Amino acid sequence: MGKRLSKNRRRDRPSTQKNKRIIESYGYRQEDSELVPHSTVHQQNTSVTCIDVWDGNLCVSGTCNGTVSLQDFSENIVTQTWRHEKEITKVRIHDTRILSASRDKTIKIWKSGIAVEQGQLLGHTLAVTALDCNEEFSQAYSGSRDNSVRLWDLATGVCTEENKVSRNLVTDICISSEHNLVFQTSEDRAIKLWDSRDLQMVYSFPTQSQIQTSCDISGNLGITSNNGFDGRGCEICVWDLRERKLVWTLRGHTESVTDCKFLSDNCHFVSCSHDGTVKLWDLQEHTNGSMQMISTLPVNCGNLLCIAPLGKSNILCGSCDNGMLTISIENDKLCFG
């Protein structure tokens, strides 16, 4: 989220040698947790399924093989990796603390420089598919294919609130601390708003024609991405969360739109798709009453799975076949970094 990037500063972290000693002291196998300096987070032929960024320098990402990686872009190295039993679906980072959700039904808590997990959030009975945290990183919100959304106390690891709705196979969750809202998408095609304090449903939008795959919030606006194929569906919807209405339906992608994120300026957002393109949208440009897509970048790396802003002028994009890519924004144009 943009606030995590702009309002906080990272702490000093242990050196690579110190991290290595910590890991060796626990006797962990190298594949469980490792420090391997490298110029990229993941090699080619690796599916990067989720990304989150802290302070414009640190990035945590997850892969289909269950690996969670922490990279320091200021030094251009991967500083540490951890493992789940199955695919990583979502990751979140706050300074030295990291959360990862997985299809193994767990959410794990990690800390930079320490090989072993610091805790687990247990309770979901099917794959955990959505995860977000409040700005203080004291609470986590999760969603699952078990039809439930949950609120967790990160200090104790206890689930303090749970709400289950039939057929609510959660695909994504985004928190607005400003408005005490949880914005949630689902395979039942009904976008939901929850009160972040007690997880009581505030509103459910009318059922849409397509499944929503991701969501994000900036101020009173929310965006969702839709699945689809051959140009049918494949949309991005912009919602007014205060007035509870659809504002714009944006078309341009030709296959499922897998992720969309607001940039830190809150005037633009980016999207990625199975059509292999990344698109930049301007909230301030209007053509015939709609927002303007101002740049498209064909990535040609197969299906694109996730996207995250890195500072003010860079984007990280996870692909199905070619790991994670860095994309720059120069004069409102997308280009390879």
Side-chain angles (χ1 to χ4, degrees), residues 210 227-235 251-256 275:
Q210 304 290 333
N227 75 345
F229 62 94
D230 291 339
R232 289 174 290 186
C234 318
E235 302 156 339
R251 298 175 176 87
H253 286 292
T254 58
E255 299 293 338
S256 291
D275 64 15

Side-chain angles (χ1 to χ4, degrees), residues 80-93:
Q80 196 162 358
T81 64
W82 301 273
R83 294 288 302 223
H84 275 259
E85 293 180 1
K86 294 184 179 180
E87 176 183 324
I88 310 301
T89 56
K90 299 291 180 182
V91 288
R92 289 292 179 264
I93 181 171

Side-chain angles (χ1 to χ4, degrees), residues 70-252:
L70 178 65
Q71 182 171 9
D72 186 340
F73 276 88
S74 66
E75 300 174 7
N76 203 30
I77 59 171
V78 175
T79 61
Q80 196 162 358
T81 64
W82 301 273
R83 294 288 302 223
H84 275 259
E85 293 180 1
K86 294 184 179 180
E87 176 183 324
I88 310 301
T89 56
K90 299 291 180 182
V91 288
R92 289 292 179 264
I93 181 171
H94 185 279
D95 202 357
T96 59
R97 301 175 66 197
I98 293 151
L99 292 181
S100 55
S102 170
R103 294 193 181 277
D104 65 12
K105 309 174 190 177
T106 70
I107 301 167
K108 293 190 177 185
I109 305 171
W110 313 95
K111 188 176 178 64
S112 174
I114 300 178
V116 294
E117 65 193 46
Q118 300 299 287
Q120 293 190 53
L121 308 181
L122 301 176
H124 285 296
T125 58
L126 291 173
V128 184
T129 50
L131 179 66
D132 203 2
C133 305
N134 63 352
E135 291 184 7
E136 296 78 20
F137 217 69
S138 59
Q139 295 177 316
Y141 299 80
S142 63
S144 168
R145 294 188 65 83
D146 64 11
N147 301 324
S148 74
V149 290
R150 289 173 176 253
L151 170 60
W152 306 86
D153 184 332
L154 291 180
T156 63
V158 173
C159 176
T160 58
E161 302 288 346
E162 177 188 7
N163 207 318
K164 183 174 288 190
V165 176
S166 177
R167 301 178 65 185
N168 185 35
L169 282 74
V170 181
T171 57
D172 202 7
I173 272 178
C174 186
I175 310 306
S176 171
S177 299
E178 178 184 0
H179 300 297
N180 295 317
L181 283 179
V182 178
F183 190 35
Q184 182 239 305
T185 53
S186 168
E187 288 187 17
D188 68 3
R189 298 174 288 136
I191 300 166
K192 302 171 184 66
L193 295 177
W194 306 85
D195 190 315
S196 63
R197 295 162 292 189
D198 57 12
L199 277 191
Q200 295 301 303
M201 190 183 297
V202 175
Y203 187 75
S204 181
F205 289 90
T207 301
Q208 304 298 299
S209 58
Q210 304 290 333
I211 292 173
Q212 290 77 47
T213 57
S214 72
C215 60
D216 198 16
I217 291 178
S218 176
N220 292 318
L221 291 181
I223 51 176
T224 57
S225 58
N226 294 350
N227 75 345
F229 62 94
D230 291 339
R232 289 174 290 186
C234 318
E235 302 156 339
I236 301 166
C237 294
V238 182
W239 306 86
D240 187 321
L241 302 183
R242 181 174 55 186
E243 297 188 9
R244 314 282 199 257
K245 68 178 184 180
L246 176 64
V247 182
W248 297 295
T249 299
L250 308 175
R251 298 175 176 87

Side-chain angles (χ1 to χ4, degrees), residues 48-51 89-90 129 171-172 185 211-216 223-228 233-236 253-261 270-279 302-308 316-320:
V48 175
T49 54
C50 49
I51 306 169
T89 56
K90 299 291 180 182
T129 50
T171 57
D172 202 7
T185 53
I211 292 173
Q212 290 77 47
T213 57
S214 72
C215 60
D216 198 16
I223 51 176
T224 57
S225 58
N226 294 350
N227 75 345
C234 318
E235 302 156 339
I236 301 166
H253 286 292
T254 58
E255 299 293 338
S256 291
V257 186
T258 50
D259 203 1
C260 54
K261 290 289 186 297
V270 288
S271 59
C272 64
S273 167
H274 282 174
D275 64 15
T277 67
V278 174
K279 295 183 183 293
N303 295 343
L304 302 181
L305 305 179
C306 56
I307 200 163
L316 297 176
C317 186
S319 71
C320 186

Side-chain angles (χ1 to χ4, degrees), residues 291-312:
M291 290 173 52
Q292 183 71 41
M293 178 181 65
I294 58 176
S295 183
T296 298
L297 181 66
V299 177
N300 299 322
C301 288
N303 295 343
L304 302 181
L305 305 179
C306 56
I307 200 163
L310 177 67
K312 296 181 178 180

